[in-house]
C-alpha cells in the first residue's frame, strides 16, 4: 500500500486510482465501495483503505462504508410530485438531526419503484422509506425480507413486514363532505385517484361520509387519476347531463384539472360548481387557483417516518405499525354556498 505522500500526486483520484492502489479491478473496487456481495472481507478492507488514503470522493464514501453502521437511509420518491419533494425536505432535516444521511432513489416513467428499491438496498442503506408508492404490488414486501422498509402513504393492511405512515384518508374525505354539506350542497361527486390503495381508501371515506350525512342516493363516483389531465377527462364526464353542484377530487392536481375544464365549459367556480382537492399542494395556494383542499402535515409524516424507521433498524423483527396523521380542511375560494342544482354548459363554450 502506498504512503500518504501519494495523495499529492493524485489531486482528483478516480475509482481506477483506488483500484490500482488496492491491487484489484475497477469492478471489484466499485462493488467493495458499494457494499454489495462479491468481494471478500480482506478485499473490501484494502479498497476502503485505498479510498481513505486517496481521499476518494472527499473520503465520504469510504468513511460511511467503513462504519459498522453506515447511518444511511434510502428514500424513494416521485420527481414530479411536490408533495413528495416537501416530505423529502422534512426527512432531510429530521435525518440530519438524528445523525443520518439520505440516499435518494427517484421513481420516474423510465425508472421503476423496484429498480429504486434494489439500488438503495445495494448501497449499504440500513432501511428504506418509500414516499408515496403507487400500486407497489409485491415489491415492498419482497425487499422488506432483506432490509427494513417503511411507506409514507397508505398501503394494504396485508402488506406483511412493511410499516406505514400516512394521512387518515377516510377522515380527509369526511372533512371535505362535511364542509360542502354545511354550505348546503347535497349533489356531491367524487373523482377517484385511479387504482392505488390510497385512492380506494378515499373513495370509501367519501361513501361513508355521504351515508353519514343522509345522502346515500346522491353518491356519484367518477373514475379519475392523479394528474390534471385526469381531472379534465373526469369533468367531461360528470358535467354531462345533470351536473353536480360540488366535486371532491382525489388530489389537488386532479381538482385543478376538473376546475379548469369546468370553467372552459362555462361553469363559474364556486357559484355553479364548488371544487375540493386534497394534499394542500403548492399549486393549490397560487392566488388565481386558491383551491379549497385537505392538507397533510408533511413535517409530522416525516418525523413519524424517521422515528419508526429507526425502531425497525434496531429491531427488524418488530411488528408492522401504521400511523395515521390527522388532516385539516383549508377553506379557500373554490367552495361556496349552493345556489342551484347544477347547470348545462353555456352553448358557446360547449364542445362540438
Amino acid at each position: 500500500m502506498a504512503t500518504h505522500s501519494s495523495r499529492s500526486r493524485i489531486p482528483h483520484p478516480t475509482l481506477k486510482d483506488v483500484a490500482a492502489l488496492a491491487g484489484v479491478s475497477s469492478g471489484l473496487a466499485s462493488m467493495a465501495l458499494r457494499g454489495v456481495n462479491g468481494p471478500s472481507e480482506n478485499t473490501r478492507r484494502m479498497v476502503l483503505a485505498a479510498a481513505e488514503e486517496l481521499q476518494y470522493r472527499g473520503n465520504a464514501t469510504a468513511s460511511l462504508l467503513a462504519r459498522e453502521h453506515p447511518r444511511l437511509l434510502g428514500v424513494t420518491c416521485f420527481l414530479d410530485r411536490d408533495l413528495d419533494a416537501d416530505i423529502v425536505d422534512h426527512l432531510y432535516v429530521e435525518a440530519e438531526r438524528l445523525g443520518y444521511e439520505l440516499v435518494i432513489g427517484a421513481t420516474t416513467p423510465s425508472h421503476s419503484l423496484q429498480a429504486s428499491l434494489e439500488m438503495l438496498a445495494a448501497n449499504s442503506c440500513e432501511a428504506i422509506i418509500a414516499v408515496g408508492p403507487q400500486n407497489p404490488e409485491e415489491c415492498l414486501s419482497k425487499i422488506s425480507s432483506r432490509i427494513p422498509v417503511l411507506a409514507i402513504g397508505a398501503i394494504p393492511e396485508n402488506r406483511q413486514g412493511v410499516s406505514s405512515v400516512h394521512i387518515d384518508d377516510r377522515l380527509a374525505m369526511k372533512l371535505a363532505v362535511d364542509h360542502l354539506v354545511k354550505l348546503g350542497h347535497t349533489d356531491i361527486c367524487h373523482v377517484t385517484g385511479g387504482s392505488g390503495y390510497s385512492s380506494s381508501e378515499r373513495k370509501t371515506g367519501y361513501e361513508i361520509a355521504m351515508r353519514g350525512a343522509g345522502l346515500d342516493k346522491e353518491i356519484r363516483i367518477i373514475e379519475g387519476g392523479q394528474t390534471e389531465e385526469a381531472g379534465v377527462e373526469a369533468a367531461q364526464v360528470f358535467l354531462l347531463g345533470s351536473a353536480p353542484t360540488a366535486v371532491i377530487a382525489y388530489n389537488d392536481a386532479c381538482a385543478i384539472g376538473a376546475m379548469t375544464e369546468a370553467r372552459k365549459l362555462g361553469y363559474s367556480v364556486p357559484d355553479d360548481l364548488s371544487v375540493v382537492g386534497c394534499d394542500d399542494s403548492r399549486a393549490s395556494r397560487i392566488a388565481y387557483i386558491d383551491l379549497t383542499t385537505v392538507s397533510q402535515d408533511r413535517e409530522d409524516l416525516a418525523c413519524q417516518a424517521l422515528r419508526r424507521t429507526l425502531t425497525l433498524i434496531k429491531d427488524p423483527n418488530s411488528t408492522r405499525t401504521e400511523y395515521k396523521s390527522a388532516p385539516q380542511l383549508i377553506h379557500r375560494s373554490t367552495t361556496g354556498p349552493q345556489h342551484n342544482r347544477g347547470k348545462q354548459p353555456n352553448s358557446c363554450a360547449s364542445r362540438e
Side-chain angles (χ1 to χ4, degrees):
M1 185 68 68
T3 64
H4 283 328
S5 62
S6 62
R7 295 177 183 172
S8 61
R9 296 195 296 271
I10 309 177
H12 302 291
T14 65
L15 178 62
K16 184 177 180 180
D17 296 321
V18 174
L21 186 58
V24 300
S25 68
S26 295
L28 201 58
S30 175
M31 294 174 68
L33 287 171
R34 290 185 290 118
V36 301
N37 294 330
S40 67
E41 187 58 32
N42 184 55
T43 296
R44 181 174 178 273
R45 282 198 297 267
M46 288 193 302
V47 171
L48 291 174
E52 177 81 27
E53 179 159 341
L54 294 175
Q55 294 188 333
Y56 177 61
R57 290 188 178 177
N59 200 30
T61 300
S63 294
L64 286 169
L65 294 177
R67 300 174 185 168
E68 181 180 359
H69 298 291
R71 301 186 74 82
L72 288 176
L73 298 176
V75 177
T76 68
C77 62
F78 288 79
L79 291 180
D80 59 348
R81 298 200 309 222
D82 63 28
L83 176 64
D84 285 25
D86 289 345
I87 290 175
V88 170
D89 185 42
H90 286 295
L91 285 174
Y92 267 116
V93 173
E94 185 66 7
E96 182 178 2
R97 187 183 71 80
L98 296 170
Y100 277 79
E101 296 188 45
L102 303 185
V103 179
I104 305 299
T107 300
T108 70
S110 62
H111 194 253
S112 68
L113 173 62
Q114 181 67 48
S116 293
L117 292 170
E118 292 293 343
M119 181 276 290
L120 294 171
N123 277 275
S124 296
C125 292
E126 294 189 63
I128 296 175
I129 298 174
V131 181
Q134 297 298 319
N135 300 318
E137 300 178 343
E138 296 302 319
C139 59
L140 290 184
S141 293
K142 287 180 180 179
I143 205 77
S144 69
S145 65
R146 297 155 48 193
I147 181 173
V149 176
L150 179 141
I152 298 184
I155 57 176
E157 294 179 2
N158 61 359
R159 193 75 64 201
Q160 297 297 321
V162 180
S163 293
S164 64
V165 169
H166 59 90
I167 186 178
D168 188 331
D169 290 296
R170 296 190 183 188
L171 178 56
M173 292 299 100
K174 175 174 170 51
L175 292 176
V177 170
D178 289 352
H179 169 67
L180 292 169
V181 169
K182 288 180 181 178
L183 291 172
H185 295 275
T186 56
D187 193 351
I188 304 168
C189 170
H190 174 58
V191 179
T192 73
S195 59
Y197 185 69
S198 179
S199 174
S200 175
E201 283 292 280
R202 292 183 189 182
K203 174 183 174 182
T204 299
Y206 158 78
E207 293 173 323
I208 293 174
M210 289 290 282
R211 293 190 182 99
L215 300 175
D216 308 51
K217 296 181 180 180
E218 300 295 339
I219 292 176
R220 192 191 316 195
I221 296 171
I222 305 297
E223 294 301 317
Q226 302 184 25
T227 64
E228 289 188 32
E229 291 78 10
V232 169
E233 293 175 3
Q236 293 169 355
V237 175
F238 70 72
L239 292 177
L240 290 176
S242 177
T245 63
V247 59
I248 302 169
Y250 167 79
N251 66 4
D252 291 344
C254 184
I256 291 170
M259 179 172 64
T260 300
E261 183 66 8
R263 286 171 170 166
K264 183 177 179 181
L265 293 175
Y267 290 83
S268 173
V269 176
D271 292 341
D272 301 322
L273 180 72
S274 284
V275 181
V276 181
C278 189
D279 291 342
D280 190 26
S281 64
R282 299 171 195 171
S284 73
R285 305 169 210 159
I286 297 174
Y288 69 85
I289 294 178
D290 201 35
L291 179 69
T292 294
T293 185
V294 181
S295 71
Q296 299 198 44
D297 189 334
R298 292 143 168 80
E299 183 175 2
D300 180 46
L301 290 172
C303 290
Q304 289 291 337
L306 260 297
R307 184 173 69 82
R308 292 162 190 271
T309 298
L310 297 190
T311 298
L312 291 173
I313 291 173
K314 293 176 182 177
D315 181 10
N317 296 318
S318 59
T319 305
R320 174 193 183 276
T321 62
E322 179 182 32
Y323 171 80
K324 294 182 180 180
S325 178
Q328 179 182 2
L329 186 117
I330 308 296
H331 185 189
R332 298 192 179 109
S333 65
T334 60
T335 54
Q338 176 187 349
H339 294 303
N340 52 56
R341 288 190 56 81
K343 57 173 280 185
Q344 295 298 320
N346 294 340
S347 58
C348 61
S350 61
R351 294 182 178 273
E352 295 181 359

